[in-house]
Amino acid sequence: MYFKNISLRDWKAYTVANFDFPAPTSEKNIILVGAPNGFGKTSLFEAIVLGLFGRSGLPLVARSPFASDDKERLATSYKNFLEKALHRGAVEAGRTSCSVKMTFVDDDGQEIEIHRIWYFSDKGAFRPQDEEVRVYEGSTRRLVGPSPNEDADEIEWYRDFIAKRFLPYYLAAFFLFDGEQVSAFAEREMAVQVRSGIEGLLGIPVLRDLAADLRQYARVRRSEVNNVSDKTLERLELDIDTAQFQVNEKKQRLAELEPEHQTMKEQREKLTRELASFGVGSQAQFQEQFERLNRFEREIEEGRAQLEALLSQDIALALSGTKLRSVLKETLAGEIAREKWLAGRQQGDANLDRYLSAVEAALNLIQPDLMHTQKSSVLKVSRDAWETLWNPPPTNIAENVLHKYLNELDRIRISERLDELDQVGAPEIVDLLDRISATEEAHGRLQQEITKTEAIAPNVDKKRLELGAVNGRLQELDQEIGALRREIGVTDAEITKRNTELARLSGQWDQAKPNLRRASRALNAASMIDAIVSKAVPSQIAAIATAMTEAHKSMAHKKDLVERIEITEDCEVKLLSADGIDLRNFDLSAGEKQIFTQALISAVASVSQRSFPMVIDTPLGRLDVEHRKGVLQHLIRPDHQVILLSTNTEIVGEYREVVSDHVQKEFLIQFERVGDIGQSTVHEGYFRSPQVRAS
């Protein structure tokens, strides 16, 4: 497998950039991309990593502040990084997205394109739902994605697809890495490095996450209680099935529309570029106006979506009227009072006989003795007095309970929610309608301006008509797709809500033993995963040690110093000389430590048997001079593609000569500043001399 093309749009300092790569051969497999520091070399590396893996690839980005396994922190860091990645001039020009498109050729010669797009607000803000991934296969560009019947998050689906077809994110660090990160990794204990490498090779981080999820499931099951009717469960299940059927129909329609939608967008971009080629005067103005027009259309569509969301949720319930809500609150309050009254009466009735027995015993102690009729009268009066405690019933209780499926806490929560709805009113909708109206007016004025601009430039009428037709169809598709996605989103949210309620009620319906049995099974599965993890690492130690020995010998400056590398079941490492002496008993230089780490990376990549290209940013990193040639000579040995992103102080001069016979293609990234905005551009070629220094 190899990269055939990488295209960037509005990514960091690149407005538009294209890298075309030839197929590697057994003799030539090196691609050199040169750039002084700060010119955009690392930005290309980051685009490749995030274009492939999205948020999961962020830990591979050296300039990212993320350094933890916390999912919430990862999401925040990803958002912050992307907002800085959008080209500074893009938003000002009305372009509110950036993208990375990569075309691969797999081992069977089939082309596969991965296109990841990030969308932003007019102020450059990114939201997780504004990320889009598209994958196309073969010469017919068949769209690959989840089927309409799959209830899966698209980003997660593509992450799994890329993991199976290309490379899982937990193995990426052994194919896509920064020389600076290797230097930092080299400072860790060798045993820690080896264990981390083997665990990445086997996908153990994913297994650990699964075990944690199973234990969380067990905790939830143990906490469930029993108090619900099976009829309620049947009704919920029927509602969920009906809603899911509706969602599946909408998803099927969405899958039918999206290929045409993508084609129309590409056609619009093509026509816009062609219109821009007519000249920089009126046509440049037309292009800018058309981009603003698209932005206004997106704002109008987003405003309408917000309005629909409001009308389908709180506002719809708020408009039911205060009178109806007041009646419901009074009914719920009456039901609470009735249940309390009934509970008190039942408790009193349980003590009545004991009370009358105590009165009768007291009457027997009176002297002189009372007559039988007197005792009976006293007991009757006592019974009647006791009954007056509960009759007549209080005036504030309900005559009967309509909502038997609710307990007291549920009724209180519903009443509180109804009180909150009293705060929802017209101002929120009026403000939204005003914003939509203002945007529509601006949209109309801009259309009039475009009409005037179009008449100025020659040879534009035909393209304008084509663009108008494409834009019209695209607008229709946007509206239908947007409506479908909103409907799916609302219904999915309702399904999720009902599934949550079903899970809660199912837990109440189950008795304690089934709950404990499920929890026990989950814990047993988690324990099985622990056992697999503990046995998995030793299973790969021999293969890793052999591959490391070979890689280390090819890179080390003192090639006869380390005869072989041995690794124990506990991942303890021995660097053995020909005499069997462990060289770890002697101090290793920083360069020797980094060579060890490079050998581990190479070994994991080799043992994984993945043919994925290797992309290395700052490949020589902090390597000392004596080890640089060894690393380069090792990199030219694989028969798969290796892309080296080098500064003008690394692969130049004598180091350039080491790889010269194996270089297929060279690129040079240039940089210029226009005002306060930087601009990186890509050119074929390389550094002219090793004396060039970064500005």
Side-chain angles (χ1 to χ4, degrees), residues 580-599:
I581 299 173
D582 186 359
L583 300 178
R584 288 197 61 197
N585 296 326
F586 306 92
D587 289 336
L588 299 177
S589 68
E592 289 168 336
K593 290 179 180 178
Q594 190 164 342
I595 288 297
F596 174 88
T597 303
Q598 292 272 17

mmCIF file of all heavy atoms in Angstrom, residues 580-599:
data_model
loop_
_atom_site.group_PDB
_atom_site.id
_atom_site.type_symbol
_atom_site.label_atom_id
_atom_site.label_comp_id
_atom_site.label_asym_id
_atom_site.label_seq_id
_atom_site.Cartn_x
_atom_site.Cartn_y
_atom_site.Cartn_z
ATOM 1 N N GLY A 580 28.168 -12.449 25.588
ATOM 2 C CA GLY A 580 27.065 -12.642 26.511
ATOM 3 C C GLY A 580 26.980 -11.597 27.602
ATOM 4 O O GLY A 580 26.250 -11.776 28.585
ATOM 5 N N ILE A 581 27.711 -10.506 27.464
ATOM 6 C CA ILE A 581 27.686 -9.439 28.470
ATOM 7 C C ILE A 581 26.524 -8.494 28.174
ATOM 8 O O ILE A 581 26.331 -8.075 27.026
ATOM 9 C CB ILE A 581 29.017 -8.655 28.466
ATOM 10 C CG1 ILE A 581 30.172 -9.603 28.820
ATOM 11 C CG2 ILE A 581 28.972 -7.480 29.433
ATOM 12 C CD1 ILE A 581 31.532 -8.962 28.676
ATOM 13 N N ASP A 582 25.736 -8.186 29.206
ATOM 14 C CA ASP A 582 24.614 -7.259 29.046
ATOM 15 C C ASP A 582 25.154 -5.834 29.049
ATOM 16 O O ASP A 582 25.618 -5.327 30.079
ATOM 17 C CB ASP A 582 23.603 -7.450 30.176
ATOM 18 C CG ASP A 582 22.342 -6.608 29.967
ATOM 19 O OD1 ASP A 582 22.275 -5.879 28.955
ATOM 20 O OD2 ASP A 582 21.437 -6.679 30.824
ATOM 21 N N LEU A 583 25.099 -5.186 27.904
ATOM 22 C CA LEU A 583 25.650 -3.837 27.771
ATOM 23 C C LEU A 583 24.820 -2.799 28.512
ATOM 24 O O LEU A 583 25.251 -1.650 28.646
ATOM 25 C CB LEU A 583 25.737 -3.467 26.288
ATOM 26 C CG LEU A 583 26.625 -4.402 25.449
ATOM 27 C CD1 LEU A 583 26.597 -3.988 23.990
ATOM 28 C CD2 LEU A 583 28.051 -4.396 25.984
ATOM 29 N N ARG A 584 23.645 -3.197 28.991
ATOM 30 C CA ARG A 584 22.850 -2.251 29.779
ATOM 31 C C ARG A 584 23.502 -1.969 31.125
ATOM 32 O O ARG A 584 23.135 -1.013 31.809
ATOM 33 C CB ARG A 584 21.439 -2.792 30.003
ATOM 34 C CG ARG A 584 20.578 -2.776 28.758
ATOM 35 C CD ARG A 584 19.121 -2.931 29.127
ATOM 36 N NE ARG A 584 18.671 -1.846 29.984
ATOM 37 C CZ ARG A 584 17.559 -1.878 30.721
ATOM 38 N NH1 ARG A 584 16.801 -2.963 30.703
ATOM 39 N NH2 ARG A 584 17.198 -0.854 31.465
ATOM 40 N N ASN A 585 24.463 -2.813 31.523
ATOM 41 C CA ASN A 585 25.176 -2.558 32.772
ATOM 42 C C ASN A 585 26.115 -1.367 32.641
ATOM 43 O O ASN A 585 26.654 -0.887 33.647
ATOM 44 C CB ASN A 585 25.966 -3.799 33.200
ATOM 45 C CG ASN A 585 25.039 -4.972 33.526
ATOM 46 O OD1 ASN A 585 23.939 -4.771 34.027
ATOM 47 N ND2 ASN A 585 25.483 -6.185 33.235
ATOM 48 N N PHE A 586 26.310 -0.935 31.398
ATOM 49 C CA PHE A 586 27.131 0.249 31.145
ATOM 50 C C PHE A 586 26.206 1.383 30.711
ATOM 51 O O PHE A 586 25.124 1.163 30.195
ATOM 52 C CB PHE A 586 28.161 -0.041 30.052
ATOM 53 C CG PHE A 586 29.018 -1.244 30.339
ATOM 54 C CD1 PHE A 586 28.643 -2.496 29.870
ATOM 55 C CD2 PHE A 586 30.169 -1.141 31.093
ATOM 56 C CE1 PHE A 586 29.410 -3.612 30.130
ATOM 57 C CE2 PHE A 586 30.943 -2.252 31.366
ATOM 58 C CZ PHE A 586 30.561 -3.504 30.887
ATOM 59 N N ASP A 587 26.641 2.597 30.938
ATOM 60 C CA ASP A 587 25.816 3.738 30.564
ATOM 61 C C ASP A 587 25.707 3.834 29.046
ATOM 62 O O ASP A 587 26.720 3.797 28.339
ATOM 63 C CB ASP A 587 26.418 5.041 31.124
ATOM 64 C CG ASP A 587 26.269 5.125 32.625
ATOM 65 O OD1 ASP A 587 25.346 4.466 33.166
ATOM 66 O OD2 ASP A 587 27.048 5.848 33.259
ATOM 67 N N LEU A 588 24.467 3.965 28.555
ATOM 68 C CA LEU A 588 24.253 4.148 27.128
ATOM 69 C C LEU A 588 24.120 5.633 26.826
ATOM 70 O O LEU A 588 23.544 6.394 27.603
ATOM 71 C CB LEU A 588 22.970 3.428 26.690
ATOM 72 C CG LEU A 588 22.929 1.910 26.898
ATOM 73 C CD1 LEU A 588 21.566 1.373 26.490
ATOM 74 C CD2 LEU A 588 24.021 1.223 26.098
ATOM 75 N N SER A 589 24.664 6.023 25.680
ATOM 76 C CA SER A 589 24.549 7.420 25.276
ATOM 77 C C SER A 589 23.107 7.702 24.847
ATOM 78 O O SER A 589 22.314 6.788 24.612
ATOM 79 C CB SER A 589 25.493 7.715 24.117
ATOM 80 O OG SER A 589 25.070 7.028 22.948
ATOM 81 N N ALA A 590 22.776 9.004 24.726
ATOM 82 C CA ALA A 590 21.439 9.387 24.271
ATOM 83 C C ALA A 590 21.174 8.836 22.881
ATOM 84 O O ALA A 590 20.062 8.385 22.570
ATOM 85 C CB ALA A 590 21.294 10.906 24.283
ATOM 86 N N GLY A 591 22.190 8.847 22.016
ATOM 87 C CA GLY A 591 22.033 8.313 20.667
ATOM 88 C C GLY A 591 21.764 6.824 20.675
ATOM 89 O O GLY A 591 20.927 6.323 19.920
ATOM 90 N N GLU A 592 22.461 6.074 21.553
ATOM 91 C CA GLU A 592 22.251 4.630 21.635
ATOM 92 C C GLU A 592 20.848 4.296 22.160
ATOM 93 O O GLU A 592 20.211 3.334 21.706
ATOM 94 C CB GLU A 592 23.322 4.011 22.531
ATOM 95 C CG GLU A 592 24.702 4.010 21.884
ATOM 96 C CD GLU A 592 25.813 3.666 22.866
ATOM 97 O OE1 GLU A 592 25.622 3.874 24.090
ATOM 98 O OE2 GLU A 592 26.876 3.211 22.418
ATOM 99 N N LYS A 593 20.368 5.115 23.091
ATOM 100 C CA LYS A 593 19.005 4.911 23.592
ATOM 101 C C LYS A 593 17.982 5.142 22.482
ATOM 102 O O LYS A 593 16.997 4.410 22.355
ATOM 103 C CB LYS A 593 18.722 5.849 24.764
ATOM 104 C CG LYS A 593 19.490 5.521 26.037
ATOM 105 C CD LYS A 593 19.154 6.531 27.126
ATOM 106 C CE LYS A 593 19.911 6.213 28.405
ATOM 107 N NZ LYS A 593 19.634 7.216 29.472
ATOM 108 N N GLN A 594 18.229 6.166 21.676
ATOM 109 C CA GLN A 594 17.270 6.469 20.609
ATOM 110 C C GLN A 594 17.312 5.403 19.526
ATOM 111 O O GLN A 594 16.286 5.071 18.929
ATOM 112 C CB GLN A 594 17.551 7.849 20.013
ATOM 113 C CG GLN A 594 16.444 8.321 19.079
ATOM 114 C CD GLN A 594 16.522 9.796 18.789
ATOM 115 O OE1 GLN A 594 17.163 10.536 19.498
ATOM 116 N NE2 GLN A 594 15.869 10.229 17.725
ATOM 117 N N ILE A 595 18.495 4.837 19.268
ATOM 118 C CA ILE A 595 18.589 3.743 18.298
ATOM 119 C C ILE A 595 17.774 2.546 18.779
ATOM 120 O O ILE A 595 17.104 1.866 17.992
ATOM 121 C CB ILE A 595 20.060 3.353 18.068
ATOM 122 C CG1 ILE A 595 20.771 4.434 17.264
ATOM 123 C CG2 ILE A 595 20.167 2.015 17.351
ATOM 124 C CD1 ILE A 595 20.199 4.635 15.877
ATOM 125 N N PHE A 596 17.829 2.281 20.086
ATOM 126 C CA PHE A 596 17.025 1.190 20.643
ATOM 127 C C PHE A 596 15.542 1.434 20.365
ATOM 128 O O PHE A 596 14.804 0.527 19.945
ATOM 129 C CB PHE A 596 17.267 1.076 22.154
ATOM 130 C CG PHE A 596 16.370 0.074 22.845
ATOM 131 C CD1 PHE A 596 16.736 -1.259 22.930
ATOM 132 C CD2 PHE A 596 15.151 0.458 23.388
ATOM 133 C CE1 PHE A 596 15.907 -2.191 23.547
ATOM 134 C CE2 PHE A 596 14.320 -0.461 24.000
ATOM 135 C CZ PHE A 596 14.699 -1.774 24.086
ATOM 136 N N THR A 597 15.090 2.663 20.608
ATOM 137 C CA THR A 597 13.683 2.994 20.387
ATOM 138 C C THR A 597 13.320 2.887 18.913
ATOM 139 O O THR A 597 12.252 2.380 18.550
ATOM 140 C CB THR A 597 13.388 4.409 20.913
ATOM 141 O OG1 THR A 597 13.744 4.468 22.296
ATOM 142 C CG2 THR A 597 11.922 4.763 20.751
ATOM 143 N N GLN A 598 14.203 3.375 18.032
ATOM 144 C CA GLN A 598 13.960 3.256 16.595
ATOM 145 C C GLN A 598 13.859 1.787 16.193
ATOM 146 O O GLN A 598 13.033 1.412 15.345
ATOM 147 C CB GLN A 598 15.097 3.932 15.813
ATOM 148 C CG GLN A 598 15.153 5.436 15.958
ATOM 149 C CD GLN A 598 14.294 6.142 14.926
ATOM 150 O OE1 GLN A 598 13.437 5.532 14.309
ATOM 151 N NE2 GLN A 598 14.509 7.427 14.753
ATOM 152 N N ALA A 599 14.697 0.948 16.798
ATOM 153 C CA ALA A 599 14.654 -0.488 16.488
ATOM 154 C C ALA A 599 13.335 -1.100 16.942
ATOM 155 O O ALA A 599 12.757 -1.955 16.254
ATOM 156 C CB ALA A 599 15.828 -1.205 17.157
#
